[in-house]
Amino acid sequence: MKEKVIILFYPLVDPSTMIPNLPFSVMNLERMVRDLPVKTIIIDERIEPDYESVIVKHKDNLLMAGVSSMSGYQMISGKKFSQFIKKTVNTPIVWGGWFPSVTPEIALNEDFIDIVIVGQGEIAFRELVIGLLQNTDISSIPGLGLKENGITINEPGPLIDEKLLPNVSLDIIEINKIIEI
């Protein structure tokens, strides 16, 4: 059996301005699952606008797709990504970041979002991935919002000191392309 794949999408913040920053929101998630039997692919739309070919290439082994989104243009770009996932493969689409943390009910009312992570997402994300890998119940994971018999938003877990978490890896991104921006 082929290794399961997680795609984490960092949408454009502003299509007219390329902001030279690292996609820390998705890099912070990757560090939480690198010891699990999954391959994590980060798509930073600034440097990989053709996310469709990546999705098609991995659709048979896709465990889940995640989108990090603030309010604003990232929601538009994340929606396009999520809608492409929905029409290509049957896999959970998880949104995290400021938009779903502040307005989880609004996010879950969208047909292209299956799960949201509210608040600091690292621990909830790890528990979600483990639950999906083991095909176990994820409905009580702190910080998750789900569409199960209506919309359920679990209380966030406790805040974790970032220094206690694994280090972020720069090897998982194309840092030279970000520097060129």
Side-chain angles (χ1 to χ4, degrees), residues 114-134:
D114 301 309
I115 301 168
V116 296
I117 297 179
V118 177
Q120 186 183 36
E122 287 90 339
I123 302 301
F125 178 74
R126 179 177 174 81
E127 291 180 19
L128 172 62
V129 171
I130 291 169
L132 293 174
L133 283 169
Q134 297 174 351

Side-chain angles (χ1 to χ4, degrees), residues 95-114:
W95 277 48
W98 281 103
F99 164 60
S101 289
V102 174
T103 57
E105 293 87 359
I106 292 172
L108 284 170
N109 274 318
E110 298 294 343
D111 61 356
F112 55 87
I113 299 174
D114 301 309

Side-chain angles (χ1 to χ4, degrees), residues 64-101:
M64 62 161 283
V67 175
S68 176
S69 179
M70 298 180 286
S71 295
Y73 189 82
Q74 278 193 323
M75 293 167 52
I76 295 167
S77 195
K79 176 181 179 178
K80 291 176 187 174
F81 169 85
S82 298
Q83 288 174 325
F84 184 79
I85 292 273
K86 283 284 185 196
K87 74 178 189 182
T88 305
V89 63
N90 182 23
T91 196
I93 299 173
V94 183
W95 277 48
W98 281 103
F99 164 60
S101 289

Side-chain angles (χ1 to χ4, degrees), residues 13-61:
V13 174
D14 180 347
S16 63
T17 305
M18 294 297 182
I19 301 168
N21 63 341
L22 297 174
F24 277 117
S25 57
V26 291
M27 293 171 68
N28 285 336
L29 298 177
E30 181 278 335
R31 68 182 169 173
M32 300 304 296
V33 297
R34 73 172 66 119
D35 65 322
L36 299 177
V38 294
K39 175 182 179 178
T40 304
I41 298 170
I42 291 179
I43 300 175
D44 182 338
E45 192 176 23
R46 296 170 301 171
I47 58 177
E48 182 61 59
D50 180 22
Y51 55 77
E52 293 177 358
S53 63
V54 178
I55 293 164
V56 169
K57 178 179 177 183
H58 297 285
K59 69 179 183 161
D60 294 335
N61 299 310

Side-chain angles (χ1 to χ4, degrees), residues 158-178:
L159 288 177
I160 305 296
D161 184 348
E162 293 278 327
K163 292 178 265 183
L164 301 175
L165 300 175
N167 289 328
V168 170
S169 173
L170 294 176
D171 295 337
I172 59 171
I173 60 166
E174 296 187 53
I175 194 161
N176 288 332
K177 287 187 179 180
I178 293 171

